[in-house]
mmCIF file of all heavy atoms in Angstrom:
data_model
loop_
_atom_site.group_PDB
_atom_site.id
_atom_site.type_symbol
_atom_site.label_atom_id
_atom_site.label_comp_id
_atom_site.label_asym_id
_atom_site.label_seq_id
_atom_site.Cartn_x
_atom_site.Cartn_y
_atom_site.Cartn_z
ATOM 1 N N GLN X 42 2.048 7.144 22.733
ATOM 2 C CA GLN X 42 1.469 7.526 21.476
ATOM 3 C C GLN X 42 2.423 7.216 20.317
ATOM 4 O O GLN X 42 3.688 7.170 20.601
ATOM 5 C CB GLN X 42 1.066 9.052 21.519
ATOM 6 C CG GLN X 42 0.223 9.365 22.629
ATOM 7 C CD GLN X 42 -1.234 9.070 22.429
ATOM 8 O OE1 GLN X 42 -1.805 9.513 21.445
ATOM 9 N NE2 GLN X 42 -1.782 8.246 23.320
ATOM 10 N N ILE X 43 1.922 7.160 19.219
ATOM 11 C CA ILE X 43 2.678 7.139 17.919
ATOM 12 C C ILE X 43 2.406 8.382 17.209
ATOM 13 O O ILE X 43 1.526 9.116 17.606
ATOM 14 C CB ILE X 43 2.404 5.980 17.052
ATOM 15 C CG1 ILE X 43 0.943 5.867 16.457
ATOM 16 C CG2 ILE X 43 2.793 4.570 17.872
ATOM 17 C CD1 ILE X 43 0.637 4.726 15.594
ATOM 18 N N GLY X 44 3.168 8.744 16.210
ATOM 19 C CA GLY X 44 2.881 9.933 15.396
ATOM 20 C C GLY X 44 4.190 10.507 14.695
ATOM 21 O O GLY X 44 5.120 9.776 14.421
ATOM 22 N N ILE X 45 3.957 11.656 14.226
ATOM 23 C CA ILE X 45 5.026 12.347 13.551
ATOM 24 C C ILE X 45 5.356 13.718 14.212
ATOM 25 O O ILE X 45 4.563 14.171 14.973
ATOM 26 C CB ILE X 45 4.696 12.516 12.019
ATOM 27 C CG1 ILE X 45 3.504 13.622 11.898
ATOM 28 C CG2 ILE X 45 4.542 11.231 11.350
ATOM 29 C CD1 ILE X 45 3.237 13.804 10.403
ATOM 30 N N PHE X 46 6.511 14.229 13.953
ATOM 31 C CA PHE X 46 6.960 15.506 14.378
ATOM 32 C C PHE X 46 7.961 16.181 13.696
ATOM 33 O O PHE X 46 8.660 15.574 12.722
ATOM 34 C CB PHE X 46 7.516 15.318 15.855
ATOM 35 C CG PHE X 46 8.775 14.522 15.983
ATOM 36 C CD1 PHE X 46 9.994 15.049 15.733
ATOM 37 C CD2 PHE X 46 8.627 13.178 16.185
ATOM 38 C CE1 PHE X 46 11.163 14.179 15.858
ATOM 39 C CE2 PHE X 46 9.772 12.389 16.238
ATOM 40 C CZ PHE X 46 11.052 12.917 16.088
ATOM 41 N N TRP X 47 8.211 17.454 13.824
ATOM 42 C CA TRP X 47 9.243 18.198 13.196
ATOM 43 C C TRP X 47 10.024 18.881 14.400
ATOM 44 O O TRP X 47 9.487 18.948 15.491
ATOM 45 C CB TRP X 47 8.829 19.404 12.270
ATOM 46 C CG TRP X 47 8.442 18.855 10.816
ATOM 47 C CD1 TRP X 47 9.300 18.796 9.804
ATOM 48 C CD2 TRP X 47 7.204 18.370 10.446
ATOM 49 N NE1 TRP X 47 8.592 18.238 8.783
ATOM 50 C CE2 TRP X 47 7.323 18.042 9.122
ATOM 51 C CE3 TRP X 47 5.945 18.160 11.150
ATOM 52 C CZ2 TRP X 47 6.224 17.517 8.343
ATOM 53 C CZ3 TRP X 47 4.890 17.697 10.308
ATOM 54 C CH2 TRP X 47 5.159 17.359 9.004
ATOM 55 N N TYR X 48 11.158 19.216 14.142
ATOM 56 C CA TYR X 48 12.097 19.869 15.077
ATOM 57 C C TYR X 48 12.604 21.105 14.572
ATOM 58 O O TYR X 48 13.061 21.273 13.422
ATOM 59 C CB TYR X 48 13.276 18.964 15.451
ATOM 60 C CG TYR X 48 14.233 19.633 16.423
ATOM 61 C CD1 TYR X 48 13.929 19.880 17.639
ATOM 62 C CD2 TYR X 48 15.534 20.065 15.977
ATOM 63 C CE1 TYR X 48 14.767 20.436 18.533
ATOM 64 C CE2 TYR X 48 16.424 20.573 16.776
ATOM 65 C CZ TYR X 48 16.038 20.848 18.112
ATOM 66 O OH TYR X 48 16.885 21.458 18.940
ATOM 67 N N SER X 49 12.461 22.245 15.415
ATOM 68 C CA SER X 49 12.956 23.598 15.004
ATOM 69 C C SER X 49 14.341 23.797 15.677
ATOM 70 O O SER X 49 14.310 24.039 16.934
ATOM 71 C CB SER X 49 11.973 24.695 15.443
ATOM 72 O OG SER X 49 12.634 25.846 15.254
ATOM 73 N N PRO X 50 15.379 23.828 15.012
ATOM 74 C CA PRO X 50 16.685 24.020 15.621
ATOM 75 C C PRO X 50 16.864 25.492 16.195
ATOM 76 O O PRO X 50 17.454 25.673 17.286
ATOM 77 C CB PRO X 50 17.844 23.828 14.635
ATOM 78 C CG PRO X 50 17.075 22.949 13.584
ATOM 79 C CD PRO X 50 15.570 23.362 13.580
ATOM 80 N N GLU X 51 16.132 26.389 15.474
ATOM 81 C CA GLU X 51 16.141 27.747 16.039
ATOM 82 C C GLU X 51 15.464 27.948 17.341
ATOM 83 O O GLU X 51 15.829 28.638 18.169
ATOM 84 C CB GLU X 51 15.496 28.702 14.971
ATOM 85 C CG GLU X 51 16.224 28.771 13.659
ATOM 86 C CD GLU X 51 15.918 27.624 12.699
ATOM 87 O OE1 GLU X 51 15.012 26.853 12.885
ATOM 88 O OE2 GLU X 51 16.824 27.405 11.832
ATOM 89 N N LYS X 52 14.316 27.200 17.545
ATOM 90 C CA LYS X 52 13.622 27.255 18.853
ATOM 91 C C LYS X 52 13.952 26.223 19.798
ATOM 92 O O LYS X 52 13.732 26.137 20.949
ATOM 93 C CB LYS X 52 12.125 27.150 18.593
ATOM 94 C CG LYS X 52 11.481 28.312 17.728
ATOM 95 C CD LYS X 52 10.030 28.103 17.550
ATOM 96 C CE LYS X 52 9.390 29.206 16.831
ATOM 97 N NZ LYS X 52 7.896 29.040 16.660
ATOM 98 N N ASP X 53 14.926 25.190 19.374
ATOM 99 C CA ASP X 53 15.233 24.081 20.097
ATOM 100 C C ASP X 53 14.105 23.381 20.762
ATOM 101 O O ASP X 53 14.038 23.188 21.927
ATOM 102 C CB ASP X 53 16.226 24.490 21.168
ATOM 103 C CG ASP X 53 16.914 23.243 21.848
ATOM 104 O OD1 ASP X 53 16.943 22.178 21.182
ATOM 105 O OD2 ASP X 53 17.351 23.424 23.000
ATOM 106 N N GLU X 54 13.105 23.064 19.910
ATOM 107 C CA GLU X 54 11.875 22.318 20.421
ATOM 108 C C GLU X 54 11.203 21.623 19.361
ATOM 109 O O GLU X 54 11.353 21.936 18.082
ATOM 110 C CB GLU X 54 10.976 23.316 21.085
ATOM 111 C CG GLU X 54 10.313 24.344 20.144
ATOM 112 C CD GLU X 54 9.412 25.331 20.880
ATOM 113 O OE1 GLU X 54 9.410 25.318 22.133
ATOM 114 O OE2 GLU X 54 8.768 26.071 20.218
ATOM 115 N N LEU X 55 10.493 20.594 19.690
ATOM 116 C CA LEU X 55 9.535 19.973 18.676
ATOM 117 C C LEU X 55 8.457 20.901 18.280
ATOM 118 O O LEU X 55 7.944 21.719 19.205
ATOM 119 C CB LEU X 55 8.935 18.761 19.421
ATOM 120 C CG LEU X 55 9.847 17.592 19.707
ATOM 121 C CD1 LEU X 55 9.010 16.478 20.517
ATOM 122 C CD2 LEU X 55 10.566 16.964 18.566
ATOM 123 N N VAL X 56 8.119 20.861 17.080
ATOM 124 C CA VAL X 56 7.019 21.618 16.522
ATOM 125 C C VAL X 56 6.143 20.752 15.627
ATOM 126 O O VAL X 56 6.546 19.718 15.081
ATOM 127 C CB VAL X 56 7.524 22.924 15.771
ATOM 128 C CG1 VAL X 56 8.269 23.880 16.532
ATOM 129 C CG2 VAL X 56 8.370 22.399 14.583
ATOM 130 N N ASP X 57 4.866 21.154 15.441
ATOM 131 C CA ASP X 57 3.977 20.409 14.616
ATOM 132 C C ASP X 57 4.029 18.963 14.924
ATOM 133 O O ASP X 57 4.310 18.133 14.137
ATOM 134 C CB ASP X 57 4.194 20.651 13.133
ATOM 135 C CG ASP X 57 4.005 22.162 12.742
ATOM 136 O OD1 ASP X 57 3.002 22.674 13.297
ATOM 137 O OD2 ASP X 57 4.604 22.575 11.899
ATOM 138 N N VAL X 58 3.756 18.581 16.275
ATOM 139 C CA VAL X 58 3.651 17.196 16.745
ATOM 140 C C VAL X 58 2.256 16.705 16.578
ATOM 141 O O VAL X 58 1.228 17.360 16.936
ATOM 142 C CB VAL X 58 4.025 17.188 18.182
ATOM 143 C CG1 VAL X 58 3.827 15.748 18.757
ATOM 144 C CG2 VAL X 58 5.393 17.703 18.399
ATOM 145 N N TYR X 59 2.136 15.503 15.864
ATOM 146 C CA TYR X 59 0.858 14.873 15.648
ATOM 147 C C TYR X 59 0.870 13.504 16.340
ATOM 148 O O TYR X 59 1.605 12.623 16.000
ATOM 149 C CB TYR X 59 0.502 14.798 14.147
ATOM 150 C CG TYR X 59 0.394 16.156 13.612
ATOM 151 C CD1 TYR X 59 1.533 16.779 13.078
ATOM 152 C CD2 TYR X 59 -0.824 16.765 13.453
ATOM 153 C CE1 TYR X 59 1.407 18.073 12.594
ATOM 154 C CE2 TYR X 59 -0.891 18.075 12.886
ATOM 155 C CZ TYR X 59 0.234 18.681 12.465
ATOM 156 O OH TYR X 59 0.085 19.905 11.880
#
Side-chain angles (χ1 to χ4, degrees):
Q42 304 283 300
I43 62 172
I45 64 172
F46 61 88
W47 279 270
Y48 173 70
S49 170
E51 293 80 16
K52 294 181 178 181
D53 189 26
E54 66 183 12
L55 294 177
V56 294
D57 294 326
V58 176
Y59 295 87

